[in-house]
Amino acid sequence: MTVRSNIIVPRACKATITREFSLGVASYESNDLYSPDTEIWKSKVLDLASPLYGPNKTYIFDKSRYGNHGTITGAVWERLPSGVYALKFDGVDDHVNLGNPTSLDITGDKLTISVWCKNIEASPGDNTRRSLVEKYPGDGQGYDLTTYYFEGTWRVLFTIFGLGRPSVSCTVPSIPSTWQNIVGVYDGTQGIIYVDGVSKATSPGTGNIVST
């Protein structure tokens, strides 16, 4: 099914779309489907939105045109009061592996990573790290959006690895059991962290992302 509209998220449209992937089937609200005619859709290389019904226990499906489906290890689906499912991680070794597809080998000087997450650890030990999105093979390559606990507060760290690239950190007013939208943006001149739509920190930096 193809959805064509000038509205990126058609909130007025109430329906369910079922998509069949090579690895299985997943259902989403039609609100979650983006128009292929919009620039935001064309620029997406990964869109791991949560399913509405009967989530697949092994895979999370990518709704972008690249099909970067992830393999779930350890994490389990939990149904929210809204009816949508979200993955719950144990904070130890649960993760989703997306492999190493070419479309995620970002090499330009523009990158946006947006994650909805909920912290359920009020006060872990110092330097406790919870990676949100990470593509870091080492040697100054890749990118990372992570949270970590230090000196009594949760913080967000957004890093573009490589000499001269930005690394941005900010304190997050994290409330246990509250969902937050955390976004890291690199625009070629600086790195920016947004929390719930508000800019929290910036750091200068230039240069292309090193190929991973």
Side-chain angles (χ1 to χ4, degrees), residues 109-112 158 160 166 185-192 203 205 207:
D109 63 355
K110 302 287 189 296
L111 175 64
T112 298
F158 175 53
I160 303 295
V185 176
Y186 176 49
D187 63 8
T189 63
Q190 62 179 345
I192 312 168
S203 178

Side-chain angles (χ1 to χ4, degrees), residues 44-45 66 92 140 174 189 207:
K44 281 179 177 287
V45 294
Y66 295 100
V92 180
S174 181
T189 63

Side-chain angles (χ1 to χ4, degrees), residues 159-195:
T159 304
I160 303 295
F161 296 102
L163 184 63
R165 278 64 163 186
S167 181
V168 196
S169 175
C170 75
T171 299
V172 185
S174 181
I175 303 172
S177 300
T178 298
W179 285 93
Q180 293 177 302
N181 182 218
I182 297 177
V183 180
V185 176
Y186 176 49
D187 63 8
T189 63
Q190 62 179 345
I192 312 168
I193 291 176
Y194 294 89
V195 178

Side-chain angles (χ1 to χ4, degrees), residues 123-145:
S123 348
D126 264 2
N127 297 314
T128 296
R129 177 188 172 92
R130 300 288 180 256
S131 183
L132 302 176
V133 177
E134 181 181 69
K135 194 169 193 293
Y136 177 57
D139 298 326
Q141 302 169 299
Y143 45 87
D144 176 62
L145 180 65

